[in-house]
């Protein structure tokens, strides 16, 4: 559409950030000073410093996730002390970041008990508790850090693709009713086909279809075309019905994507241009100078 | 499009329900009284009471399906008496519901022998017969209860997504000819590739391709990209032909979804323009000056 | 769009058949008589008799394919004499049909050496030769009979969905250049990723990636999301690269379907209506009576 | 749209080649003579000789890739001397081609250190070095030759489908922001679901989920519906969460294709109307009376 490198920075300077700032103004310190400046750096991504802060944070979170993930690999068990050393450093950084966030908001308690505040706290807290208790489940908090990634992706979004993320979200949102209808139909289809296959394959003493929930798991794995192969039909009748279910389920499960698709296509087609001021015909090209119908100048 | 919470309830009050009521009027008791009131509660979902009845029924059906499903899990075999106790309670509720339905329709026999009447009866009948006979196949009637789910989804549909379910159904319906053409081509492709692979892989004494129907089952599992892996080619030629078939079959099987997609997109492109004020025909072009049906000026 | 049962038979009486007849007129006997009548029954599907002939043939071909397929199932080995008996009857019927076809065309030799003539001959010939020679590969001719199915689907097509099959074929045809570009890119991607994975996984002495063609087979099975699981990466590096290739290949292989989709959507959007005779504006609705622009009557 | 055989050659003569020639003019020898003629044959595909040169090169590259691939197949180990003989011949041809390329460009050093120059050199160099050193990893250079395929596909592109490749590339390019958003979300989803499944399945002592990276590999293989089946959940909870993740991930991963799809559809909707006769701007509405750019009457 438009050149992202130039119009993107324009947007950052004028359009979206002001909107984003309005939303956050409640927590932004009122009087100018170092708290307001640091608040803008830590909580916003409009200025150069703010963007670099978010990029640094992004790298730190990715590094910490990689560390925790590698810690569980049996091959790297000898490296564990080194991993834990870096892990401590990163936890210290996240602690410093948390304290800075507390100090640069207008009402620290409101932040501390907000969704992001709790996520931020829980992302480094276990690093201090676990070595004391001796448990080894610190890895479970990698999930919380992955959620923090979503927060930092803000830097990318504001920069360039805010609108694209919005467009995706709104297309999914407008197709939500169809998705609910679809999930209901899938639920019924999985229940019926799972029960059916349980009776066909279980009666024959087959190994995979040990219970109805197991058969329903098979139905989901099959209908989404994942097809692990850990549970497969062994009887001729079971194979025949499976083949029919696959063709049916395949058609069934491919449908909802077209709804989202249709919403997106409709969205991009919606003519956003104002009509001709003379003959009031709409559907003008976005780069038109003259009306296609009466030939009159459009933007006077 | 429009706010579902407000326009949805408007619709419920004025548009669809009257249409739905017309369809059911034959069975609705003519004289006002408790039978008519209860009929509206049990068979309709327009009133608050009717909606809550359907939601309660929905939960009861889901609970009964969950119970029957869990009964088959080997781990929960000790819980069987408890499951059977709740099962008996749910069966009693379904019986009461069936009797209420019989009592609140104008012609009970017509209901009893209708499609939904038989489904309703069969969904609780086995709970009484099976304990007497001692058979353990009560689970097979979970399927019938799953079908009843579709009936109760009416409550959700009327509430919010009647139009979406209609839209999906009509898009599939208008694409039906293309789906038949497609299934014919798939049938021929599966037959040819199954026979071909049987000859290539069976001659070599391979394990999986024991017969042509087996090879056709493989062809369906492969072409839909499910790919269980229980039957795989072992010869070089078989693998080469498989790879070609996969690419071919993949293209083949992805096509029908685009037809449904195209129908939906065409449908959603129908503009939301207000109807002609004179003849009330909708579907006007967004830039129309005159009605396409009566020739009257649109925006006066 | 339009009611298939009425407009379909209208078409059969007026539109397509005449076109189809023109194409076949070369072989249709010139003088009226039993040969011309039988020719219309056997080669056409316009008349009632011709349609029923094609339906009977369709059933006979499906039965013969089912017979040959079941013959290969080990469980039904005892039924082989019965299968062979019915097989002989069907072969006799196909022979009679072939002779009838030879007798009712103007130039029998031209038919005998045409594509369909050879297919027709080969579909029953092996039934006579194989019992004499004693070979058991008669099953390989089931493929030829499956091809004959495509001929008989003509009856379905003429009846209802000629246009849909045409639409599908023409959408694929107009997207052919994009499909060639796509297949070239897939070929390069499969070669590069296959070679890469061979070097990573083969060096490590893994079992699956025994040669580059084997690794290319893996790449196709993986990229199309079939994922049999007979060949899987075992090294950490191999798994990492596999994951990247899957995401890449997935994006790559989903693209061509959108091209066919785009062609179909464009096709259904093409305004086929003539413009207004007064103001010459096009884009009229197909069911419009008055021009949407000037309000003039359209079809005078 | 248009007949590719006639309009394609028209384009070759007038439209694209001149643009392509402009881009390459820097390296084309200035004075007419054998160097300029050979440059056109080797580097261009506009003339007949140039096209045949590219087709011959295409065949030679495909043959060399096939040779190297077959060399790794254990069954063909006896044929190795023959393969190596042909391999030497092809290496000689590629060497000759490289020398010719060096001789027919204006500044040979600039070509030698360009991307394609290095690819061209590396595609035959190992054939000379490896027999001396005795290593057997010559096969790894098949990758470089596969990259060269992309260069030679130019001949096909110029001939017929330049525009289609451009259209595909530009659709992907315009959807890039959405693809980045999507990949970010996938990364977070894979991390969270991988960590989650590691904790559920690893605690139970299951075999497959040995580490978090392994579980993330499983998440990618599952969400893309590849579903190898080498790692599968074994606990009831793991299966339940897997089924939910599959449905979620399936929805997630099918979305980006619709973005590319929407871009392509929007692109193909740009009508094929003739440009304005006055200012020669194309992209006019099909029902326009006046040019949207200069306001001049269109159909005079």
């Amino acid at each position: 559409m438009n050149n992202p490198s130039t119009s993107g920075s324009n947007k950052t300077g004028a359009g979206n950030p002001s909107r984003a700032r309005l939303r956050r103004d409640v927590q932004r310190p009122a009087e100018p000073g170092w708290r307001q400046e640091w608040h803008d750096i830590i909580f916003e991504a409009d200025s150069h410093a703010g963007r670099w802060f978010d990029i640094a944070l992004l790298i730190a979170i990715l590094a910490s996730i990689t560390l925790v993930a590698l810690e569980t690999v049996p091959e790297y068990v000898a490296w564990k002390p080194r991993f834990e050393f870096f892990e401590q450093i990163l936890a210290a950084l996240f602690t410093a970041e948390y304290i800075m966030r507390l100090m640069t908001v207008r009402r620290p308690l409101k932040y501390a008990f907000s969704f992001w505040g709790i996520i931020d706290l829980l992302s480094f807290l276990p690093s201090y508790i676990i070595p004391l208790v001796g448990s080894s489940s610190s890895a479970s908090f990698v999930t919380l850090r992955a959620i923090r990634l979503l927060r930092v992706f803000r830097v990318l979004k504001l920069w360039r693709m805010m609108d694209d993320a919005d467009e995706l979200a709104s297309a999914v949102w407008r197709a939500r009713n169809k998705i609910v209808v679809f999930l209901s139909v899938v639920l019924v289809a999985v229940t019926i086909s799972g029960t059916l296959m349980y009776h066909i394959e279980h009666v024959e003493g087959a190994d995979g279809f040990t219970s109805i929930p197991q058969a329903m798991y098979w139905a989901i794995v099959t209908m989404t075309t994942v097809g692990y192969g850990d549970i497969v039909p062994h009887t001729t009748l079971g194979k025949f019905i499976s083949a029919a279910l696959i063709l049916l389920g395949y058609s069934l499960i491919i449908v909802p994507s077209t709804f989202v698709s249709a919403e997106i296509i409709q969205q991009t087609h919606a003519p956003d241009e104002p009509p001709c001021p003379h003959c009031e015909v709409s559907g003008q090209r976005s780069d038109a100078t003259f009306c296609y119908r009466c030939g009159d100048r459009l933007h006077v």
Side-chain angles (χ1 to χ4, degrees), chain A:
Chain A
M1 305 298 162
N2 42 30
N3 188 350
S5 61
T6 61
S7 74
S9 58
N10 278 352
K11 264 188 205 156
T12 311
N16 286 321
S18 61
R19 207 177 58 187
R21 199 167 286 155
L22 271 173
R23 234 189 304 128
R24 292 168 180 278
D25 260 351
V26 213
Q27 283 287 43
R28 196 177 180 234
E31 67 286 0
W34 72 269
R35 277 184 67 212
Q36 205 189 55
E37 272 169 40
W38 277 94
H39 181 275
D40 288 359
I41 290 171
I42 296 172
F43 283 91
E44 314 284 334
D46 309 340
S47 62
H48 267 275
R51 198 135 65 219
W52 283 113
F53 178 84
D54 273 8
I55 289 168
L57 190 54
L58 187 71
I59 292 165
I61 294 173
L62 285 175
S64 79
I65 290 172
T66 311
L67 275 179
V68 177
L70 288 180
E71 240 176 88
T72 65
V73 180
E75 281 86 354
Y76 295 121
V77 80
W79 290 31
K80 212 175 176 185
R82 246 168 298 180
F83 287 147
E84 276 170 357
F85 174 70
F86 284 112
E87 170 66 18
Q88 295 299 327
I89 292 174
L90 284 167
L93 284 175
F94 292 149
T95 314
E97 181 221 340
Y98 182 72
I99 293 166
M100 283 303 287
R101 282 186 193 268
L102 277 179
M103 282 168 70
T104 58
V105 292
R106 214 183 283 180
R107 286 147 62 196
L109 273 180
K110 198 192 162 189
Y111 163 73
F113 289 102
S114 70
F115 174 73
W116 287 117
I118 291 165
I119 293 282
D120 288 351
L121 180 65
L122 289 176
S123 73
F124 66 85
L125 207 63
S127 304
Y128 296 108
I129 298 170
I130 285 154
L132 302 177
V133 201
S135 154
S136 69
S137 68
S138 82
S140 67
F141 290 91
V142 81
T143 305
L144 293 162
R145 288 188 186 157
I147 293 169
R148 289 190 79 203
L149 277 181
L150 288 175
R151 175 181 211 166
V152 181
F153 281 138
R154 192 168 37 96
V155 62
L156 300 169
K157 282 204 297 188
L158 271 182
W159 210 8
R160 276 222 235 171
M161 51 200 137
M162 194 73 160
D163 295 340
D164 293 312
D166 279 3
E167 195 183 321
L168 173 51
S170 78
V172 170
W173 178 245
R174 269 174 300 122
R176 70 192 177 288
N177 284 2
K178 285 166 195 134
I179 290 169
V180 171
V181 171
F182 163 72
L183 282 179
S184 309
V185 174
V186 164
L187 185 73
V188 173
V190 162
T191 307
I192 292 177
S193 58
T195 313
L196 199 67
M197 287 301 289
Y198 168 74
H199 285 288
I200 292 165
E201 289 285 329
H202 189 67
V203 165
E204 307 288 328
D207 196 53
F209 295 82
T210 52
S211 66
I212 289 179
Q214 183 93 332
M216 285 165 75
Y217 162 75
W218 167 86
I220 288 174
V221 167
T222 298
M223 279 184 167
T224 51
T225 76
V226 171
Y228 283 135
D230 53 345
I231 308 170
V232 287
H234 287 101
T235 65
T236 307
L237 183 61
K239 279 172 183 173
F240 186 80
I241 287 171
S242 288
L245 282 177
I246 287 169
L247 284 177
L248 196 86
Y250 186 84
S251 322
L252 199 70
I253 216 147
I254 219 157
V255 165
S257 76
T258 66
F259 281 116
V260 178
S261 187
E263 291 290 345
I264 290 168
I265 287 160
Q266 199 180 13
Q267 209 166 7
T268 54
H269 270 235
D272 296 335
E273 291 306 304
C276 171
H278 184 77
C279 68
E280 292 182 7
V281 160
S282 59
Q284 308 285 349
R285 281 178 61 113
S286 57
D287 56 347
T289 313
F290 295 93
C291 170
Y292 73 95
R293 171 61 54 209
C294 68
D296 231 47
R297 184 168 283 273
L298 286 174
H299 316 283
V300 260

